[in-house]
Amino acid sequence: MLYNFKEIEEKWQRFWQENSIFKAKHSPEKKKFYCLEMFPYPSGKIHMGHVRNYTIGDVYSRYQRQKGYEVLHPMGFDAFGQPAENAAIKNKTKPDDWTHKCIEWMKVELKKMGFSYDWERELSTCDSSYYKWNQWIFLKMFERGLAYKKASGVNWCPSCSTTLANEEVIEGECWRCHSPVEQKELEQWYLKITEYKERLLEDLKQLDKWPPRVIAMQSNWIGKSQGTEIYFRLKDSDKVITVFTTRADTIFGATYVVLAPEHPLVKEIIRGRPQEKEALTFIERVSQESKISRVKEDVKKEGVWTGAYCINPVNREVILVWIADYVLMEYGTGAIMAVPAHDQRDFLFTKEHNLPMRIVIKSPGHQVTRSPEEMREAYEGDGLQVNSGEFDGLANQEAKIKIAQWMEKEGMGKIVTHWRLRDWLISRQRYWGTPIPIVYCPKCGIVPVPYEALPVELPEDAPFTGEGGSPLGKVKEFVDTVCPKCQEKARRETDTMATFFDSSWYFLRFCSPQDENNPFDVKEAKYWMPVDQYIGGIEHAILHLLYSRFFTKFFQDLGMIDFHEPFKSLLTQGMVLKDGEVMSKSRGNIVDPDSIIQKYGADTLRLFILFAAPPETELEWDDRGIEGAFKFLNRLWRIQDNLKEKADLQVYRALHKAIKKVTADIEEFKFNTAIAGLMELVNAIYQSGADKEVFSQLVVLISPIAPHFSEELWQGLGHSESITRAPWPRADESLLTEENITIVIQINGKHRGTIVVSKDIAEEELKQRCLNEPGIKKWIEDKPAKKIIVVPGKLVNIVI
RNA sequence: GGGCAAGUGGUGGAAUGGCAUACACGACAGACUUAAAAUCUGUUGGCUGCAAGGUCGUGAGGGUUCGACUCCCUCCUUGCCCACCA
């Protein structure tokens, strides 16, 4: 007979809700545990990725609760964003209605999985009670000069008709719709995340419970590099071109200088020269090109001569000034010194345009660097300096430092630290987001909305079509306002905030989600924060985690919290695949969690998804595997019908072995082997039977994984309290040590047999026993043992 | 081009210096059954052997070690992230 999962799961979900079993209480006498999974975008349906993410978090939360911690395990919705606008256009509804409907559907599905959330703390970022505090945070940043407005070339997605952050441009394409991204000049709001770059980099060292690859990704993104700025004075002018290089050792080989087409000096340099027209045409063409072609094609490097010359400060040589598309304004100073002999990009450009080249570093043995004519590619390796004045003969790594110091002393340049991290562009020309709380007054200029006037609410209706400009700009009653300073007529900012703003501090809001006076209650945050365990997808390794760390440091500077990192420990779970590919709508290989729940129940789904692979690796979906998980639960279920008065000692041993293994494995998120341990215990019980005590303990061990199932069995065993209150079992070490142990015998490292001996056997006696073992003697014959290695309790290796 | 993972039976995976393949899926066989399903019990890396056993075997090659899936070096393959980054 199969267990009735449908009835049982509904019954216990109702019980948990009615008795507020998972309510998190601020209990100063108890140690807390804050377990958080990345909150979802409410698309309406949960997918297997959610199931995996939230099952991992749920097992861990339930386990910590049974270990005696006061657990905070909240859930909410990252509810602003573009899909709601698209859906609204398609279905002729309001984004607000669509989003709230989706949240309701999604909650039903999450509850069906039996996740142990404290639903009283639920929040949605699209509610004004939440986004009011986005505006509050923005104003605090504005006051401190951390939110500022700047006109600049921005990444523009023509299809979404909105700006994109650098982080949202993937290989020149929009991260959302994959359209080629264009450049556009706009007035935009930025957050000065660069103000925190040192701390964001430095504090990575303390995150010892984060995956090393995430640390590496963040560190690369912040991108600190040491280098030198070098000043090239224009010939017959006092203008100076500043270039950035990490290879000061190659300065004597700089044979020309290249500017980015957008470089501010370009127009001035070419003015009135014969080359002006050609150069302008070139600049025009490059600016028309989307970033995609400038970045993707690494073959053609195009450029033109400006007609101007400048002077290499180290050797007074007069060299050409060029413009080329492969030099980017966004990086460094927007200008480079070209060292064709020792930089591959410069080398290719030089060959293309027949420019001069000089070797200044000799490769060992000189094979590669005999002469410029013979070189097939740039030599980027180490070697000895040549053609470098007084630095000739030095190893280039040493020369790099000496030359930089010398240039700094002589005023030819400056040693600088360069960062890759840019300020964060948060303006979006979208409706469904947090309005930026700013008013433009003809008299007073940019005026922040006063705190007491928050929230600036989103108007219910806006004519958004998905095309052109900010939809809020078309809502007259929203735009028209009075200046908070002078009470004259003024207009509101019509851009909204990027949704990453919303998710950069939601973990703090969960500490006191109903607080009406502050973004979060300082005392509550002091108790619950930081998050002890954070779980989510690797795709958020850079953006979301970096922004959250930035906000946390900002709150620390406001004096609202006394820690500087939000997430103590981080787990990044792997993707769910079907037939070796990521599950996605376009591939049509989606397995709907709800259909699995219908067929096998949530406990089976939870069990399978944990058993099929370790959390951090990819998981291959397998229909037969889910069948196996279901069979196992039924096999365990049947034990209750055949309980003995007293189980054998070996079953007790098996139980305590399982307790030890399951506990250790859950601590390390090795759920797959924890379940294997439970299966071994069940197999042992099928060999010689269980009694009530053994079975009870087994049910507690599996309760974080299959909670409904365990509650039902627990009640059947006569317990009146919920199993979520049952303390986690402790392994009895005395039952784990055996009287007799099996020792492996090796000869020259090869496995040749085993021997069973008392666990207290003396080393000498053990050696003799092994040498005299009949199966071993034939291998030794009369050869003397050169050496005998004994690993206590495990093995003996006889070397002959 | 740079960085980080990973590569083990028919399949998912286990073992992080000490019996390679735990646990499961699949397959095969037996018990129960009129029969099937379900359930229970076995067997299940390759080669060789009637058997006991032997021998090979963790992407390839080398090294360290009494002993290597595990550590080191070189290479190959796959995945992920970053990238005209000066």
Side-chain angles (χ1 to χ4, degrees):
Chain A
M1 202 189 68
L2 300 175
Y3 89 100
N4 188 342
F5 57 83
K6 207 172 162 61
E7 199 177 286
I8 290 170
E9 290 182 0
E10 280 172 16
K11 169 181 164 185
W12 289 103
Q13 282 161 19
R14 209 176 317 117
F15 174 86
W16 294 332
Q17 179 148 5
E18 283 168 5
N19 294 280
S20 301
I21 294 290
F22 307 119
K23 189 182 167 111
K25 298 184 198 82
H26 185 149
S27 319
E29 75 286 356
K30 265 170 94 178
K31 278 212 271 181
K32 64 91 188 183
F33 194 92
Y34 187 174
C35 183
L36 184 66
E37 299 113 51
M38 292 180 184
F39 66 164
Y41 179 81
S43 57
K45 275 203 156 301
I46 61 169
H47 54 67
M48 282 300 172
H50 291 130
V51 169
R52 191 178 194 192
N53 190 171
Y54 302 153
T55 300
I56 293 165
D58 196 54
V59 170
Y60 208 60
S61 299
R62 286 175 178 269
Y63 166 74
Q64 297 296 347
R65 192 174 283 112
Q66 286 177 302
K67 291 276 280 190
Y69 286 92
E70 184 63 35
V71 172
L72 172 56
H73 189 215
M75 181 44 74
F77 298 93
D78 189 13
F80 270 140
Q82 204 185 8
E85 282 185 49
N86 295 343
I89 294 165
K90 206 171 139 199
N91 308 327
K92 303 215 177 350
T93 57
K94 291 180 189 171
D96 186 52
D97 296 342
W98 184 84
T99 303
H100 280 101
K101 207 176 284 169
C102 283
I103 288 174
E104 286 315 307
W105 288 333
M106 214 144 168
K107 265 167 75 176
V108 169
E109 298 211 322
L110 289 172
K111 285 184 178 177
K112 275 195 202 165
M113 282 301 296
F115 296 138
S116 60
Y117 297 124
D118 179 357
W119 283 107
E120 290 175 37
R121 290 177 187 256
E122 178 190 348
L123 59 81
S124 294
T125 56
C126 67
D127 292 341
S128 63
S129 61
Y130 184 88
Y131 70 68
K132 171 182 178 177
W133 301 110
N134 282 344
Q135 296 171 340
W136 185 96
I137 294 163
F138 178 90
L139 292 176
K140 287 283 176 197
M141 288 186 170
F142 181 79
E143 275 172 17
R144 282 160 178 72
L146 292 170
Y148 67 96
K149 214 176 180 194
K150 179 172 87 173
S152 64
V154 294
N155 303 306
W156 177 261
C157 172
S159 161
C160 304
S161 60
T162 190
T163 55
L164 299 169
N166 280 340
E167 291 87 331
E168 291 170 343
V169 181
I170 316 291
E171 289 189 10
E173 295 179 358
C174 172
W175 69 298
R176 203 184 293 113
C177 70
H178 299 287
S179 317
V181 172
E182 298 172 354
Q183 295 297 300
K184 203 173 168 178
E185 283 277 319
L186 273 178
E187 282 259 308
Q188 304 280 306
W189 285 99
Y190 286 83
L191 297 187
K192 221 182 220 170
I193 190 171
T194 52
E195 184 105 354
Y196 287 78
K197 61 192 179 220
E198 279 100 355
R199 287 158 73 184
L200 287 168
L201 183 67
E202 189 62 21
D203 292 348
L204 284 174
K205 289 182 195 146
Q206 297 166 22
L207 299 176
D208 56 333
K209 287 180 176 171
W210 279 39
R213 53 187 296 222
V214 175
I215 303 273
M217 282 160 81
Q218 293 232 340
S219 173
N220 288 341
W221 191 261
I222 296 167
K224 183 179 185 175
S225 64
Q226 301 282 355
T228 313
E229 279 183 3
I230 303 174
Y231 313 131
F232 289 78
R233 194 173 53 77
L234 277 170
K235 193 175 167 238
D236 308 321
S237 159
D238 55 357
K239 296 283 174 203
V240 168
I241 297 170
T242 303
V243 308
F244 175 76
T245 181
T246 53
R247 293 290 307 271
D249 51 325
T250 64
I251 174 68
F252 287 89
T255 47
Y256 56 101
V257 161
V258 191
L259 300 175
E262 304 89 347
H263 196 284
L265 273 178
V266 164
K267 290 203 169 135
E268 208 179 316
I269 290 175
I270 59 176
R271 191 171 302 136
R273 290 184 194 273
Q275 291 83 358
E276 180 170 9
K277 209 174 157 209
E278 193 196 347
L280 283 174
T281 317
F282 174 73
I283 294 164
E284 181 66 12
R285 203 181 72 230
V286 172
S287 69
Q288 290 296 311
E289 278 173 19
S290 58
K291 252 195 172 173
I292 188 168
S293 51
R294 257 182 91 179
V295 173
K296 256 191 177 173
E297 293 169 26
D298 45 0
V299 268
K300 254 209 196 134
K301 300 187 190 310
E302 295 188 75
V304 290
W305 181 37
T306 58
Y309 299 89
C310 66
I311 294 152
N312 185 340
V314 295
N315 54 13
R316 303 276 161 203
E317 193 178 1
V318 174
I319 58 178
L320 300 164
V321 179
W322 277 63
I323 309 170
D325 59 357
Y326 76 98
V327 177
L328 305 177
M329 196 59 224
E330 299 91 73
Y331 192 77
T333 58
I336 63 156
M337 60 177 201
V339 186
H342 306 292
D343 180 286
Q344 184 61 13
R345 286 160 311 166
D346 297 342
F347 181 86
L348 292 173
F349 192 79
T350 297
K351 290 283 165 193
E352 184 85 13
H353 299 279
N354 256 319
L355 290 161
M357 177 159 148
R358 184 184 308 121
I359 292 166
V360 291
I361 293 165
K362 280 281 179 195
S363 63
H366 301 196
Q367 294 99 331
V368 198
T369 50
R370 218 169 296 136
S371 73
E373 295 71 33
E374 282 175 274
M375 282 177 86
R376 290 281 170 87
E377 56 179 16
Y379 177 68
E380 296 182 338
D382 289 334
L384 299 182
Q385 300 284 140
V386 291
N387 297 325
S388 298
E390 58 185 287
F391 301 98
D392 279 356
L394 282 179
N396 72 304
Q397 290 298 345
E398 193 190 341
K400 184 191 281 188
I401 299 162
K402 292 219 162 132
I403 290 176
Q405 287 169 345
W406 169 69
M407 282 196 294
E408 193 166 67
K409 207 177 99 207
E410 299 290 324
M412 300 170 185
K414 195 178 159 201
I415 296 168
V416 292
T417 304
H418 179 72
W419 301 79
R420 189 183 171 280
L421 184 70
R422 299 284 101 130
D423 277 344
W424 174 16
L425 167 59
I426 59 156
S427 293
R428 294 291 183 275
Q429 290 69 48
R430 286 275 139 199
Y431 165 70
W432 194 231
T434 306
I436 294 173
I438 289 289
V439 169
Y440 298 103
C441 171
K443 239 165 72 189
C444 314
I446 296 176
V447 182
V449 173
Y451 289 100
E452 54 282 8
L454 297 183
V456 177
E457 293 221 38
L458 262 187
E460 261 194 53
D461 279 301
F464 54 87
T465 55
E467 286 153 24
S470 300
L472 290 180
K474 295 165 192 157
V475 184
K476 204 173 173 311
E477 49 281 25
F478 178 83
V479 178
D480 292 344
T481 186
V482 292
C483 171
K485 261 194 194 160
C486 68
Q487 311 305 321
E488 294 290 314
K489 271 193 182 172
R491 40 177 286 274
R492 284 189 194 281
E493 167 67 63
T494 57
D495 284 354
T496 53
M497 297 181 193
T499 54
F500 275 119
F501 196 109
D502 312 351
S503 55
S504 298
W505 67 284
Y506 76 110
F507 43 89
L508 283 160
R509 184 69 184 167
F510 273 136
C511 297
S512 50
Q514 277 97 35
D515 195 312
E516 290 179 4
N517 305 312
N518 289 292
F520 57 88
D521 184 294
V522 169
K523 283 202 292 296
E524 291 293 326
K526 195 175 170 62
Y527 178 65
W528 294 112
M529 287 294 292
V531 173
D532 294 277
Q533 183 63 51
Y534 198 31
I535 305 161
I538 188 77
E539 66 273 20
H540 294 110
I542 297 175
L543 306 183
H544 164 62
L545 292 173
L546 191 67
Y547 296 153
S548 297
R549 296 180 59 228
F550 163 43
F551 271 45
T552 300
K553 290 173 198 307
F554 175 66
F555 281 121
Q556 189 197 5
D557 290 353
L558 287 183
M560 294 173 71
I561 53 178
D562 57 6
F563 52 91
H564 53 270
E565 285 293 334
F567 313 122
K568 226 191 243 176
S569 177
L570 175 71
L571 178 79
T572 50
Q573 100 268 1
M575 297 208 190
V576 182
L577 310 179
K578 178 87 194 293
D579 308 318
E581 291 186 310
V582 178
M583 278 192 194
S584 72
K585 261 190 203 155
S586 55
R587 289 196 179 87
N589 60 351
I590 293 211
V591 179
D592 177 21
D594 202 47
S595 72
I596 302 296
I597 297 173
Q598 291 295 328
K599 200 165 168 196
Y600 301 100
D603 284 331
T604 293
L605 178 52
R606 294 166 61 113
L607 181 70
F608 168 71
I609 211 134
L610 295 171
F611 183 58
E616 301 212 65
T617 63
E618 291 176 336
L619 184 151
E620 175 68 28
W621 181 265
D622 180 7
D623 288 321
R624 286 186 302 225
I626 191 105
E627 194 88 34
F630 186 57
K631 275 191 202 165
F632 172 67
L633 285 184
N634 278 295
R635 188 169 153 89
L636 205 161
W637 182 262
R638 280 189 292 271
I639 296 173
Q640 64 181 325
D641 302 327
N642 296 301
L643 292 182
K644 284 177 156 178
E645 196 52 44
K646 186 78 189 152
D648 299 347
L649 180 63
Q650 52 174 319
V651 171
Y652 270 85
R653 285 190 192 281
L655 169 69
H656 285 270
K657 204 177 138 197
I659 292 172
K660 192 172 178 181
K661 180 165 179 58
V662 172
T663 306
D665 285 354
I666 291 182
E667 290 283 355
E668 292 171 52
F669 298 102
K670 289 155 75 176
F671 302 114
N672 55 335
T673 52
I675 292 166
L678 289 171
M679 287 172 168
E680 280 180 79
L681 174 57
V682 168
N683 289 343
I685 289 172
Y686 268 80
Q687 290 297 324
S688 69
D691 58 21
K692 196 173 153 182
E693 194 200 323
V694 171
F695 188 57
S696 296
Q697 301 266 50
L698 166 60
V699 171
V700 175
L701 286 178
I702 202 175
S703 68
I705 295 164
H708 317 84
F709 172 90
S710 317
E711 286 276 25
E712 186 70 16
L713 285 173
W714 189 246
Q715 194 180 49
L717 282 162
H719 299 276
S720 55
E721 260 226 315
S722 162
I723 199 167
T724 59
R725 304 286 190 251
W728 193 253
R730 277 175 176 278
D732 182 345
E733 287 293 331
S734 70
L735 285 169
L736 292 174
T737 45
E738 305 262 352
E739 278 307 299
N740 292 320
I741 50 175
T742 305
I743 299 285
V744 172
I745 306 175
Q746 292 183 339
I747 301 205
N748 291 341
K750 263 191 165 22
H751 176 230
R752 291 299 182 194
T754 58
I755 182 174
V756 176
V757 296
S758 155
K759 73 173 163 63
D760 301 317
I761 192 166
E763 199 170 307
E764 266 318 301
E765 193 193 342
L766 177 61
K767 281 184 189 173
Q768 283 313 312
R769 287 273 305 274
C770 289
L771 289 170
N772 293 329
E773 188 69 10
I776 295 305
K777 269 188 156 168
K778 67 170 181 182
W779 292 100
I780 303 175
E781 292 172 337
D782 53 354
K783 292 165 218 143
K786 267 199 259 173
K787 198 171 169 186
I788 301 176
I789 287 145
V790 179
V791 182
K794 272 188 180 159
L795 117 171
V796 174
N797 187 15
I798 302 163
V799 185
I800 55 174

